[in-house]
Amino acid sequence: MKIFKYIIIAFASMIALASCEKHDLGYDCEQVDASENALVYFYRMIPEAASTATRAYRVEIDGQPMWQGTSAYLSQFDYVPAQGRHYILTPGTHTLKLFLSHEDTEPYYNQEFTVKAGMQDVVITNLNAAPLVLDNNAEYPHDVTAHTAESFYLRFVNIMYEDENFTIPDYKLQYYYQDPTDLEWYPASDPVGFGEVSSWTRIHIDQFAEQRSGQSGTGSSREWADNRVGHSVTSGSCTIYYKMKRIEADGTESWMTYNRKGGAEGSDVEYKDYWTAYVGRHQTHFMRGMRVSPSGSGTGNTAAWISQMGKY
């Protein structure tokens, strides 16, 4: 019986020693060298009336589908793949096709684009034009200590057309934000022309901002979710207001206006909007659509407005 006891103890010791051995965890992936490959996001930013009929259920690069299955699709003001992932392409020219269904043989969109090594955004803004290829500004800035709990980073992308003829504006846009503490307006970007991306700007936020006249508003269905009517905000976030200046070639500046009535006189409205900012995040604001858009149904999807992407 004593011998049997020692055998059990020895066996248990062997199991304990085995469980303490070092085991390397492996992942089924490959290391990608960004200096030799293009790491790409694809954005669909076409100013057109939103409809389930225009969803792209099949998207191909050089004849290869970008995803498997039949339920996924690329809709208006959307992007693929999910943040933190990229499509890997060889530097050079590629063909991008969008199909409205898996059975279609004629693409809804068919254009070529050229990428270089590094991280880039390929942005579709016009069904009849090649997509824009933008620098992703991949060197994301960050704060380790001093400003971590009171700021976030923002970059601004100008892809706004002048009108329904897809006229490219000859002026630049400069994004501005209202500081939640002193309510003054400060530049949130450098001036950028059509198809250009600003550098990253660190923006101060105040997650405990009090109700102030500059932050208040009426008629908003989002009142309960932010601090504009005196409600306490979610920890780590704050509502920030934005406007932008139109900068002409001769340097003349004015607050940008938009027109949703096809250019009708007296229908210009000064642009102003708000978004929730989150501590430590990096967010991209795309100014898309048409500054002077047609009136009628679907106006909100063709008009000039911001789409926020990349909350991480």
Side-chain angles (χ1 to χ4, degrees):
M1 186 70 180
K2 187 178 294 185
I3 295 175
F4 182 67
K5 174 182 176 182
Y6 290 147
I7 291 175
I8 293 176
I9 293 174
F11 184 67
S13 299
M14 291 174 62
I15 293 176
L17 288 172
S19 65
C20 293
E21 290 181 5
K22 181 179 179 181
H23 295 277
D24 294 327
L25 294 176
Y27 297 91
D28 186 16
C29 61
E30 297 181 6
Q31 185 69 31
V32 176
D33 188 348
S35 66
E36 298 181 357
N37 296 276
L39 284 65
V40 180
Y41 285 120
F42 290 89
Y43 293 85
R44 179 176 176 174
M45 293 289 181
I46 305 169
E48 59 184 349
S51 170
T52 56
T54 60
R55 291 174 177 173
Y57 281 89
R58 189 169 99 244
V59 180
E60 294 181 354
I61 304 176
D62 300 332
Q64 298 298 314
M66 294 174 70
W67 60 75
Q68 302 296 323
T70 59
S71 59
Y73 56 84
L74 180 63
S75 61
Q76 189 182 39
F77 310 138
D78 198 3
Y79 63 93
V80 288
Q83 286 292 336
R85 300 178 176 89
H86 299 87
Y87 287 104
I88 310 301
L89 301 177
T90 57
T93 301
H94 300 270
T95 301
L96 175 63
K97 294 181 181 181
L98 275 61
F99 297 85
L100 299 183
S101 76
H102 287 274
E103 294 74 29
D104 284 353
T105 56
E106 290 297 321
Y108 179 66
Y109 178 83
N110 184 5
Q111 295 288 339
E112 291 185 341
F113 65 96
T114 301
V115 291
K116 59 184 180 181
M119 294 176 65
Q120 289 138 96
D121 297 327
V122 176
V123 186
I124 307 170
T125 64
N126 184 345
L127 284 176
N128 300 309
L132 301 173
V133 180
L134 310 177
D135 191 328
N136 190 267
N137 291 349
E139 294 298 325
Y140 300 118
H142 63 278
D143 296 308
V144 177
T145 53
H147 306 291
T148 302
E150 61 182 41
S151 63
F152 78 106
Y153 281 90
L154 179 75
R155 68 170 184 160
F156 177 67
V157 182
N158 179 5
I159 53 173
M160 182 190 73
Y161 289 100
E162 178 64 15
D163 51 40
E164 60 184 316
N165 297 317
F166 291 89
T167 304
I168 295 177
D170 57 2
Y171 51 82
K172 294 186 176 184
L173 297 177
Q174 185 169 23
Y175 210 29
Y176 278 75
Y177 76 99
Q178 187 180 44
D179 188 281
T181 303
D182 62 21
L183 301 185
E184 295 295 326
W185 290 93
Y186 297 97
S189 78
D190 37 307
V192 291
F194 181 87
E196 295 179 346
V197 186
S198 76
S199 55
W200 290 101
T201 299
R202 185 176 71 82
I203 295 180
H204 165 73
I205 72 173
D206 184 354
Q207 58 182 304
F208 306 109
E210 298 177 358
Q211 162 68 7
R212 302 168 188 254
S213 61
Q215 293 175 305
S216 63
T218 58
S220 171
S221 61
R222 289 185 276 182
E223 289 179 337
W224 62 272
D226 60 39
N227 61 335
R228 301 192 311 147
V229 291
H231 294 294
S232 60
V233 298
T234 303
S235 178
S237 65
C238 176
T239 298
I240 301 289
Y241 277 82
Y242 298 93
K243 296 197 297 186
M244 62 189 71
K245 283 187 176 180
R246 171 174 168 165
I247 303 176
E248 309 294 343
D250 61 4
T252 304
E253 299 181 1
S254 61
W255 290 114
M256 196 206 78
T257 62
Y258 63 92
N259 187 308
R260 294 189 175 188
K261 302 294 184 180
E265 186 176 350
S267 298
D268 283 10
V269 179
E270 185 177 294
Y271 177 86
K272 185 179 182 181
D273 194 16
Y274 63 91
W275 290 88
T276 301
Y278 298 88
V279 164
R281 298 286 185 89
H282 292 74
Q283 296 171 312
T284 299
H285 282 189
F286 286 85
M287 187 58 181
R288 41 76 176 177
M290 306 167 183
R291 194 189 70 81
V292 179
S293 58
S295 58
S297 62
T299 296
N301 296 294
T302 59
W305 215 252
I306 287 290
S307 285
Q308 177 172 273
M309 301 288 182
K311 298 193 298 182
Y312 57 94

